[in-house]
Amino acid sequence: MGLVHGPNVVEILEERGLLESITSENLRSACSNPKLSPLKVYCGFDPTAESLHLGNLIGIIVLSWFQRCGHKAVAVIGGATGRIGDPSGKNIERPELDIETLEKNTEGIVKIISTILGRWDQNRNLNVGLERSRNSNVGSEENRISYVDSGDSFIILNNFDWWKEIRLLDFLRKVGRFARVGTMMAKESVKKRLESEQGLSYTEFTYQLLQGYDFLYMFENEGVNVQIGGSDQWGNITAGTELIRKILQVEGAYGLTFPLLLKSDGTKFGKSEDGAIWLSPSVLSPYKFYQYFFSVPDVDVVRFLKILTFLSLEEIKELEEEVKKPGYVPNSAQRRLAEEVTRFVHGEEGLFEALKATEALKPGAETKLDWKTIEGIAEDVPSCSLTYDQVLNASLIDLSVSTGLLESKSSARRLVKQGGLYLNNSRVDSEGKLIEAGDIVDGKVLLLSAGKKNKMVVRIS
């Protein structure tokens, strides 16, 4: 038995604002035609850094929607194309990466994608197991139809695996003669760069043919029939569908693009003051990731719930109604957004870590702080190291100045009077407070806070 078709994924994407354009309306019917096999859908990720970032997240979310509707998701790492650099959306040529860096980056990206997409298989197989144990009549037809066959719903490929075998003359003979230079020149990404001061190198100009050939190769050898990408990938995607039509002379290859992730003011969503919002927990902690979504402006939150989460549209509508009601607790919709996206990217463990740190870092929180929680946020807030002797019996007022939390003793005293100075989240009421052994969390750290925002982690060496 093949995979069972779920709901029509193109319609789901359209309703949620995740569909920019499709190369043919036939893709809609192919998504839910019970006579056709499920689709194999690919999205490419070039290994330009060791982690993917928020800009890449929509690609993974759209792949996951196909996965959830019974199709097979294919993530393609650009081990070959990453050596060239895609000119789309770039105003200068990318710096060349050495092989060692490319391999390290590829490893990091494979880990992220397999972890995120792999959770769906784990959860689904868990649910299938529960469903089967509940229903002893496993062989019955309706029980078989109630779930998607277990077995991986995604694969990860590296395009270097086929490109390393290809010789230039063979490529020109097989692909080059079918590529019309006029069509290639007319692509938006090419036109923009040709008009720029930087111009466009021949290497970058060929990028669309490389990506086009990837689609052709996978269509022939892996049965991949849909390519997805951001709206800036339209030219590269249609290069592939054209090659398949001309070289193989068959129909049935489709392209689908989704909008780029923009804020309501038109700027890219996914950059903070410190740079990109990375998906790898080793580059950006789940706590910081969660906080980024928690602070999304009200005007964007409903749209992001539709685009970035798998909550039903009914549930999102309810959240939208709540926001308008009197007595609405500010940031409740943002909290839901932050929870859902953090869970998708970092799993239940990552979400737990983020919530624990968020709760623990609220001045006045009841949560008992432990060393691990404070260490978890240490990279996200200023920190310093002092010896045990420098800290024990030291005046808190002096310490808040010497660590750089506050500028002067007078401002520290003023803050104590206002009730805004905290030691390990407990408000300090006395100017004469000295640090005792019991104040040093697990004998290793202190957390000083001036108001809600400014914190200082003091490591005890």
Side-chain angles (χ1 to χ4, degrees):
M1 184 192 114
L3 288 164
V4 178
H5 279 292
N8 189 311
V9 62
V10 173
E11 285 169 13
I12 289 175
L13 296 174
E14 196 165 31
E15 284 175 344
R16 301 183 79 97
L18 277 167
L19 184 67
E20 181 91 15
S21 33
I22 46 178
T23 54
S24 161
E25 282 296 321
N26 294 344
L27 176 58
R28 281 180 202 274
S29 46
C31 280
S32 51
N33 185 340
K35 292 180 183 158
L36 297 176
S37 296
L39 300 166
K40 270 189 158 181
V41 184
Y42 104 83
C43 187
F45 302 90
D46 274 346
T48 46
E50 216 177 323
S51 169
L52 296 174
H53 54 77
L54 214 49
N56 308 116
L57 184 61
I58 295 199
I60 301 176
I61 285 171
V62 174
L63 279 182
S64 193
W65 272 117
F66 275 96
Q67 201 187 18
R68 287 157 195 248
C69 293
H71 305 283
K72 186 144 188 165
V74 181
V76 178
I77 313 295
T81 38
R83 295 165 193 228
I84 303 292
D86 181 3
S88 305
K90 300 277 176 291
N91 48 14
I92 56 166
E93 192 155 352
R94 279 179 178 167
E96 199 180 333
L97 298 171
D98 59 81
I99 304 306
E100 206 177 289
T101 307
L102 275 170
E103 283 175 0
K104 197 169 152 212
N105 291 354
T106 298
E107 230 171 87
I109 290 172
V110 166
K111 190 179 174 190
I112 293 168
I113 295 172
S114 54
T115 304
I116 295 177
L117 293 181
R119 276 194 207 103
W120 170 247
D121 279 335
Q122 288 162 4
N123 295 342
R124 193 188 56 188
N125 292 341
L126 197 68
N127 292 339
V128 169
L130 287 172
E131 193 60 43
R132 283 180 168 166
S133 62
R134 274 197 212 106
N135 189 341
S136 55
N137 187 9
V138 172
S140 76
E141 186 59 27
E142 80 246 298
N143 191 51
R144 290 222 312 275
I145 299 298
S146 70
Y147 59 83
V148 179
D149 263 0
S150 60
D152 291 336
S153 61
F154 74 97
I155 50 169
I156 298 178
L157 304 172
N158 186 332
N159 66 9
F160 188 66
D161 292 341
W162 53 89
W163 276 109
K164 64 178 186 232
E165 307 296 337
I166 295 172
R167 293 164 179 268
L168 178 64
L169 291 178
D170 296 338
F171 177 70
L172 292 176
R173 196 184 72 240
K174 185 173 182 182
V175 176
R177 63 200 182 99
F178 289 98
R180 308 324 297 156
V181 172
T183 312
M184 290 175 73
M185 300 274 284
K187 303 273 187 223
E188 203 49 46
S189 56
V190 173
K191 278 200 306 205
K192 274 187 183 160
R193 283 290 296 282
L194 284 174
E195 290 159 8
S196 73
E197 209 175 300
Q198 166 86 8
L200 182 75
S201 71
Y202 174 69
T203 303
E204 281 187 299
F205 183 55
T206 61
Y207 187 94
Q208 55 178 290
L209 291 186
L210 302 192
Q211 191 168 324
Y213 181 74
D214 279 345
F215 197 1
L216 174 78
Y217 177 89
M218 287 186 286
F219 184 87
E220 253 187 313
N221 298 284
E222 297 282 347
V224 171
N225 40 12
V226 183
Q227 182 184 173
I228 65 166
S231 51
D232 59 348
Q233 289 296 306
W234 181 253
N236 293 338
I237 291 173
T238 50
T241 53
E242 282 301 302
L243 283 179
I244 291 167
R245 197 173 294 123
K246 286 177 181 169
I247 296 174
L248 303 178
Q249 300 193 338
V250 292
E251 297 296 326
Y254 306 104
L256 176 152
T257 59
F258 41 82
L260 299 176
L261 200 52
L262 300 175
K263 292 189 252 193
S264 50
D265 61 5
T267 58
K268 270 193 178 171
F269 180 69
K271 289 268 199 291
S272 72
E273 303 82 74
D274 312 324
I277 300 300
W278 300 100
L279 306 186
S280 166
S282 57
V283 186
L284 189 81
S285 71
Y287 162 73
K288 196 116 184 206
F289 184 83
Y290 176 94
Q291 288 300 325
Y292 181 74
F293 286 95
F294 188 71
S295 54
V296 162
D298 286 344
V299 43
D300 288 321
V301 71
V302 172
R303 189 166 54 90
F304 289 157
L305 280 164
K306 287 179 187 170
I307 292 174
L308 299 171
T309 79
F310 296 88
L311 293 176
S312 70
L313 291 176
E314 294 75 43
E315 199 169 338
I316 294 171
K317 187 88 190 118
E318 279 171 31
L319 282 163
E320 190 177 4
E321 295 303 320
E322 287 297 314
V323 174
K324 297 171 189 163
K325 287 180 184 166
Y328 165 73
V329 179
N331 283 62
S332 298
Q334 280 89 339
R335 177 175 290 112
R336 195 63 202 278
L337 173 71
E339 283 175 10
E340 293 297 321
V341 184
T342 306
R343 185 186 287 115
F344 180 66
V345 173
H346 294 294
E348 290 293 347
E349 331 70 64
L351 177 59
F352 177 74
E353 185 189 313
L355 290 174
K356 193 175 164 194
T358 301
E359 191 48 45
L361 288 174
K362 277 186 198 159
E366 294 300 306
T367 320
K368 185 175 181 332
L369 283 174
D370 57 43
W371 166 73
K372 207 173 164 209
T373 304
I374 298 179
E375 257 318 300
I377 59 115
E379 63 198 59
D380 303 322
V381 300
S383 63
C384 65
S385 294
L386 294 172
T387 63
Y388 195 81
D389 296 342
Q390 284 174 300
V391 172
L392 191 66
N393 297 324
S395 138
L396 179 64
I397 297 279
D398 291 350
L399 204 58
S400 59
V401 177
S402 64
T403 56
L405 177 71
L406 291 164
E407 284 180 3
S408 65
K409 290 184 187 180
S410 56
S411 57
R413 289 193 191 95
R414 195 161 47 246
L415 202 58
V416 170
K417 282 199 178 82
Q418 292 163 352
L421 188 62
Y422 294 83
L423 171 62
N424 302 332
N425 285 349
S426 300
R427 181 180 281 139
V428 176
D429 298 321
S430 153
E431 288 180 24
K433 167 69 183 163
L434 301 178
I435 305 296
E436 299 161 39
D439 294 325
I440 303 172
V441 178
D442 298 338
K444 295 179 179 178
V445 282
L446 291 173
L447 178 65
L448 309 180
S449 310
K452 285 184 179 176
K453 294 272 171 77
N454 299 327
K455 299 182 189 303
M456 175 65 68
V457 172
V458 183
R459 292 193 177 92
I460 316 297
S461 53

